[in-house]
Amino acid sequence: MASVNKVILVGNLGRDPEMRTFPSGDQVANVTIATTDKWRDKTSGENREATEWHRVVFNGRLAEIAGQYLRKGSQVYVEGSIRTRKWTDPQSGQDRYATEIRADTLQMLGGRSQQQGDGGNSGYGSNEGYGNSNYAAPQRQPQAAAAQYQPPQQQQQQSAPRQAPPAPPPAPAAQPAAPRPSAGFDDFGDDDIPF
């Protein structure tokens, strides 16, 4: 019989990544990710929540990325598998076990300011992230200025006598949708995928 060892987490880092480098040059990043379940208690009607903490290990390139970009509070999406490590405690000589998630996929969620932990100073409206180039971040126009803006072609037309605007093209005739043949359980469109 086939078996599956798959974990998907969406949560927040509890602390900055703990980085280690081996003599071979390989890197490992250890993080803790908090996931929170929220529900309403049926008997009392109060809102309840329970937070679960998960140990996650990133290896290789994922460890480099985690160490460079992740900070305490960063929201992440992680896919991986559960692994149990065994080691001997040097002080007591007893065998110890640790259950961790070995990450295969990492996706940083949230805004750029959340990833950098700078309190929201970067992102839209600032010039950070564009390096030393001469490019500036896009700026929003005030509403009054936006209402007064006219493209250059329209400004030229104002000096000429006004003509009636061209009629819009006729709308195509609506055709009934052809029934889609049902092929079974595996036949679903992209609309059904939540991500």
Side-chain angles (χ1 to χ4, degrees):
M1 180 173 161
S3 61
V4 177
N5 182 358
K6 178 95 170 174
V7 175
I8 298 176
L9 295 175
V10 176
N12 294 18
L13 266 66
R15 63 174 186 250
D16 288 351
E18 177 185 307
M19 299 295 298
R20 287 184 299 171
T21 304
F22 293 110
S24 65
D26 290 340
Q27 289 187 330
V28 172
N30 293 315
V31 300
T32 55
I33 297 178
T35 57
T36 304
D37 291 327
K38 297 180 181 183
W39 71 94
R40 182 177 297 272
D41 190 336
K42 291 181 180 179
T43 57
S44 66
E46 294 179 14
N47 289 332
R48 304 278 182 156
E49 66 179 44
T51 301
E52 192 74 34
W53 290 92
H54 311 273
R55 294 180 185 171
V56 180
V57 178
F58 297 101
N59 293 300
R61 181 69 180 131
L62 282 182
E64 293 175 30
I65 293 169
Q68 185 174 0
Y69 294 106
L70 298 183
R71 295 291 170 257
K72 178 180 178 177
S74 296
Q75 189 176 29
V76 292
Y77 169 91
V78 174
E79 286 185 22
S81 57
I82 294 179
R83 304 291 171 158
T84 301
R85 266 189 311 122
K86 176 184 174 183
W87 78 95
T88 304
D89 186 358
Q91 295 175 350
S92 66
Q94 295 180 341
D95 288 343
R96 301 283 183 185
Y97 298 89
T99 301
E100 303 167 327
I101 296 164
R102 184 192 303 168
D104 300 323
T105 302
L106 165 66
Q107 188 168 1
M108 295 174 277
L109 305 175
R112 206 173 120 199
S113 61
Q114 184 185 30
Q115 298 302 330
Q116 294 178 348
D118 63 1
N121 291 334
S122 64
Y124 292 114
S126 72
N127 291 332
E128 292 182 31
Y130 289 91
N132 293 328
S133 67
N134 294 328
Y135 296 109
Q139 301 291 325
R140 289 188 180 246
Q141 294 180 351
Q143 291 295 335
Q148 294 173 356
Y149 174 76
Q150 294 180 352
Q153 293 174 346
Q154 289 181 355
Q155 289 174 355
Q156 292 173 358
Q157 289 177 359
Q158 277 188 347
S159 59
R162 281 236 178 232
Q163 296 178 357
Q175 296 185 7
R180 204 167 103 189
S182 177
F185 177 76
D186 292 332
D187 183 34
F188 58 89
D190 289 340
D191 296 345
D192 298 332
I193 300 174
F195 50 91

